[in-house]
Amino acid sequence: MKIKTDEITSVIKQEIEQFSSELEISEVGRVVEVGDGVARVYGLSKVMAGELLEFETEDGTVMGQAMNLELDTVAAVIYGNYLAVEEGNQVRATSRLLEIPAGEAMLGRVVDPLGRPIDGGPPIETTETMKLDIVAPGIAFRQPVKEPLQTGIKAIDSMIPIGRGQRELIIGDRKTGKTAVAVDTIINQREAWGTDDAVVCIYVAVGQKESTVAGVVETLKANGAMDYTIVVNAGASDSAPLQYIAPYAGCAMGEYFMNQGKDGKTPKHALCIYDDLSKQATAYRQLSLLLRRPPGREAYPGDVFYLHSRLLERATKLSDENGGGSLTALPVIETQEGDVSAYIPTNVISITDGQIYLQPELFAAGVRPAINVGISVSRVGGNAQIKAMKEIAGSLRLDLAAYRELEAFAQLGTELDAAAQRQLDRGGRMVQLLKQDQYIPYNAIDQCISIFAGSKGFLDNLPLNQVHAFEKDLLENFRGVGKALRDELVAAQSFKGGLDEKFIEAIGTFKKNWVAPS
């Protein structure tokens, strides 16, 4: 039987096309270059941007992620021991995006950004995983922020309130107490733990000394706060890729709890503290240089806005139809010499819903926490406060603003009239009242009683060094003899309806009988 030549040609051509296409479709590549946590891989023609990769080494499998898709090669970052990866090692694409373990089993543990325990404890048994980097929920999935997230710090809860689902920046020079504010906030959630109002806390440490992180963990343990806290640590000695993904890992762990309110379950709430994002930006800069990204919008510093916005936009208060859970973000940024207008601080200020500015001069003057009330702001405001606090916080801000203005005149030796002197006395006592020892958060009702006493002038004629003793004894009195009145305030959550007059009378009676400690 005679076969036509063109038929033979078409069959051979088809076989060649199929053969060449099979060669092009390859899921396995080879490392052609490696160093400083970044590898160049040849042969992964079908790999996706952000896809998880497996590097086969003599010590076992090391995970990595495709970051740059170039003409002939793929630039990938290595999560783990990059020193074990050598030129010629086989690399396998997984067709998966980077996921990390999540769930109740993570509580009380210290983990690395891949969710592996680094606290010497047993392996974490959890089947739940969360995508590391997702698109933030759209506006239709959200609702306005209106529930308070109490920090236990009088100056913040009264004047710079934080709501559940808010993003509030903590900013200041090094050694001004930024971490202390964050840790106080975690400790203050202890009272609500075990109730429907509980908040799970995730503390992400980026680029810090191991001893510093160990100190924070010990503080949380000593105050009974590790039961509801996950610590994610990418230390100063860890590679740049791990420091880069650490905040996203913490956010994903928090999102697991935020999403638990779906299917008719009780809404859950999470708090993520990123300490600090300046160091994450530095790690990203290192990656940009190693990946040879050209300077522009897709590299440092142009991409830092996107780097932080896609992280912080994931903080939200979900609508009731979507479970009603919340994820609150407290990013920390370190400034140089108080320069709030530098590139990265400006970026994060524009992304967040307000900032708490800690001033070195106030810290040095003994005002702790060293919060500058003038430059600090919450764009959620009174919506994130209980009624009682909202009623007294307005006069507190005015008292402090008047005090700051008059203080400069008083230092020059200018003679003040009686009204100005009264404002100066009131402001001085209020500043003293807002001072607070570290790791001793105040209950919201106790804060209201303290500030109410100050704003009504009960502290004006007290010596400055007796303000704290008076406040301590006053709060103890309302937990003992005056408990019934305090319980009324707890139930009403407001001073209106005659409660303010009862408190004025009760505080006045207490002050008459109060004897200052010798």
Side-chain angles (χ1 to χ4, degrees), residues 54-76:
E54 291 178 349
F55 291 81
E56 298 296 335
T57 71
E58 289 180 7
D59 300 337
T61 304
V62 176
M63 303 310 290
Q65 191 177 16
M67 293 285 275
N68 274 21
L69 306 184
E70 293 162 13
L71 195 62
D72 298 315
T73 58
V74 172

Side-chain angles (χ1 to χ4, degrees), residues 179-197:
T179 301
V181 168
V183 172
D184 270 356
T185 306
I186 293 175
I187 293 170
N188 194 52
Q189 309 312 314
R190 182 182 56 206
E191 204 173 306
W193 181 241
T195 69
D196 289 347
D197 213 31

Side-chain angles (χ1 to χ4, degrees), residues 284-325:
Y284 180 73
R285 176 172 181 260
Q286 186 179 328
L287 280 183
S288 279
L289 292 168
L290 292 167
L291 291 167
R292 296 179 193 163
R293 289 184 168 176
R297 280 190 165 189
E298 66 286 344
Y300 185 93
D303 204 32
V304 169
F305 182 89
Y306 178 59
L307 181 79
H308 291 152
S309 66
R310 76 178 197 264
L311 168 71
L312 296 171
E313 285 295 330
R314 289 160 73 175
T316 180
K317 168 74 174 158
L318 291 175
S319 63
D320 292 334
E321 298 79 45
N322 289 283

Side-chain angles (χ1 to χ4, degrees), residues 144-145 159-163 166-169 340 345-356 375-384 397:
V145 174
M159 294 180 290
I160 319 149
I162 299 170
Q166 190 175 342
R167 300 152 298 178
E168 184 80 8
L169 171 62
V340 183
T346 308
N347 272 350
V348 184
I349 285 171
S350 65
I351 296 163
T352 49
D353 308 313
Q355 67 276 349
I356 296 163
I375 197 172
S376 299
V377 65
S378 169
R379 298 190 188 104
V380 172
N383 287 350
R397 258 193 184 281

Side-chain angles (χ1 to χ4, degrees), residues 490-510:
V490 171
Q493 299 277 298
S494 169
F495 284 105
K496 288 181 178 173
L499 255 185
D500 53 350
E501 290 165 12
K502 289 183 185 177
F503 267 96
I504 288 169
E505 187 183 337
I507 296 169
T509 306
F510 170 79

Side-chain angles (χ1 to χ4, degrees), residues 7 22-23 25-26 44 52 72 102 104 145 164 201 232 275 278 289 321 334 338 348 380 421 440 450 466 471 478 498:
E7 283 181 9
E22 281 170 16
L23 282 179
I25 299 168
S26 173
L44 296 178
L52 201 58
D72 298 315
E104 303 278 346
V145 174
R164 293 184 178 183
C201 303
V232 181
D275 192 7
S278 308
L289 292 168
E321 298 79 45
E334 185 180 294
V348 184
V380 172
Q421 188 60 52
I440 305 175
S450 291
Q466 290 182 9
E471 180 198 25
F478 278 110

Side-chain angles (χ1 to χ4, degrees), residues 216-239:
V216 170
V217 172
E218 285 307 311
T219 301
L220 293 174
K221 281 181 181 172
N223 289 279
M226 271 308 279
D227 295 344
Y228 52 85
T229 303
I230 305 167
V231 176
V232 181
N233 180 34
S237 59
D238 286 330
S239 63

